[in-house]
Amino acid sequence: MSLRSALLNHWLRLTEKRHLARAKTPEALRVSFERKARLFFRAPKGSAFQRGSVAEVPVLWVSAPEADDDLLILYFHGGGYVFGSPRTHRAMLAWISSMCSAWTCLPEYRLAPEHAFPAPVEDAVAIYTDLLGGGTLPDRIILGGDSAGGGLALALLAEICRQDLPRPAGCFAFSPLTDLRYAGASVRENADSDVVLPAERVDEMADMYLQGADPDDPRASPLHGDFTGACPVWLTASDTEILLDDTRRMAEVLRAQGVEVEMLIERDLPHVWPLFRGLIPEADATLRTLAKWITRLARPSAGN
């Protein structure tokens, strides 16, 4: 772990974890994340940001100058299904766009508690099918997301398999939330070591999203999904975060179903550390590792 990461961990523990533990309303969480994203996260020079809509869902199109409009990353932001937005994640996606020479699409999917489960999944499926209907080739689409958004990307992949829709080229997730029962041992074992997420609030966040729905529904907890015939999946998490076992168990489930999985477990980094690209070297290293995986998957076939 770099000195910068050690300093960031200390700062996050003193500020962000305390804020997430004490915030009383979804609006307080939303305003704080938006403000911090504007302050700390920087996109590469020349990045383009354009608002639009797909399947009547607002989206933000993000691209670096070198982006190739033939390759699309459909990315779902994190925030516990309660906060976060395309704006909070646009800088990181601009870097991914630059590294992969790809366009990126960030949906502003509906959030809880105003819109309970399965609203985000419905939005994700509608966007994917609309992209296909508009002529985007499935093998030129990469799904991605972080935290709850990583869970949403995996839930979308499970729905694609269940509905027998054309499969995307791949799916990746940073520190994904895959089990809304929070049954992984790391939720308890890493409650102290996680410098961002307060373990004591996970049930509250799940209730805000599910509002009585079954947490074992694969659309809510992709850990219980059927991924037979799915595309390759790339996962990463830190060994000190409470969602570590969500990644480990998800990888086990996918591999048991014959899915090709690459899993990267890093040492003592904060939840969704790639957001901090430019602040810690580990963020840049992880994004470059991901970019190599995406580039290899999305290499055009001889017929394209």
Side-chain angles (χ1 to χ4, degrees):
M1 180 178 62
S2 67
L3 175 59
R4 286 188 179 185
S5 292
L7 293 172
L8 178 63
N9 280 346
H10 182 67
W11 181 81
L12 289 170
R13 181 182 296 280
L14 292 177
T15 60
E16 191 63 17
K17 189 171 186 176
R18 290 180 180 179
H19 170 68
L20 293 177
R22 297 172 180 173
K24 297 185 181 301
T25 65
E27 185 61 21
L29 294 168
R30 294 166 186 170
V31 170
S32 175
F33 196 10
E34 296 279 347
R35 183 175 64 249
K36 291 168 184 172
R38 290 194 301 269
L39 181 61
F40 293 113
F41 304 150
R42 294 286 181 266
K45 291 183 179 180
S47 300
F49 306 97
Q50 182 177 352
R51 294 182 180 276
S53 65
V54 179
E56 299 185 354
V57 178
V59 301
L60 182 66
W61 296 97
V62 179
S63 61
E66 57 270 45
D68 179 355
D69 61 7
D70 181 52
L71 179 61
L72 175 65
I73 296 173
L74 177 58
Y75 190 90
F76 300 93
H77 69 80
Y81 296 109
V82 172
F83 60 104
S85 75
R87 296 176 297 280
T88 57
H89 287 64
R90 71 178 204 163
M92 181 178 69
L93 268 295
W95 284 108
I96 294 176
S97 170
S98 176
M99 293 175 183
C100 300
S101 299
W103 278 73
T104 62
C105 177
L106 285 79
E108 193 162 3
Y109 60 86
R110 289 172 289 173
L111 297 177
E114 296 90 342
H115 304 284
F117 170 83
V121 186
E122 292 171 345
D123 288 350
V125 172
I127 290 168
Y128 185 75
T129 55
D130 195 74
L131 288 171
L132 296 180
T136 304
L137 297 176
D139 64 358
R140 306 305 293 163
I141 299 176
I142 304 287
L143 307 181
D146 65 277
S147 196
L152 180 54
L154 289 161
L156 171 58
L157 181 58
E159 277 296 285
I160 289 170
C161 294
R162 186 184 70 81
Q163 298 182 29
D164 198 25
L165 299 172
R167 274 49 164 183
C171 178
F172 68 91
F174 304 124
S175 308
L177 170 57
T178 64
D179 177 15
L180 280 174
R181 285 194 184 276
Y182 294 96
S186 61
V187 175
R188 300 178 301 277
E189 295 171 355
N190 288 351
D192 291 333
S193 62
D194 194 313
V195 299
V196 175
L197 299 181
E200 66 270 20
R201 297 202 72 174
V202 295
D203 290 334
E204 177 186 352
M205 297 292 283
D207 290 344
M208 201 178 299
Y209 176 48
L210 292 172
Q211 297 186 26
D214 182 3
D216 294 331
D217 188 315
R219 296 172 298 169
S221 298
L223 187 67
H224 304 296
D226 184 349
F227 293 89
T228 304
C231 59
V233 174
W234 187 97
L235 303 171
T236 192
S238 168
D239 65 350
T240 51
E241 59 178 311
I242 63 174
L243 296 185
L244 170 63
D245 284 344
D246 279 50
T247 290
R248 285 176 168 169
R249 292 183 297 152
M250 190 74 248
E252 291 175 359
V253 166
L254 290 165
R255 287 168 177 157
Q257 295 180 20
V259 179
E260 178 185 330
V261 179
E262 289 194 27
M263 180 176 66
L264 179 65
I265 303 299
E266 293 289 6
R267 171 67 182 157
D268 202 12
L269 293 175
H271 182 61
V272 195
W273 68 92
L275 277 171
F276 298 98
R277 194 271 167 206
L279 295 176
I280 58 172
E282 292 88 346
D284 184 71
T286 297
L287 290 179
R288 291 191 180 281
T289 299
L290 170 66
K292 290 178 182 178
W293 180 81
I294 291 175
T295 301
R296 184 176 72 249
L297 274 187
R299 187 177 295 118
S301 63
N304 288 346

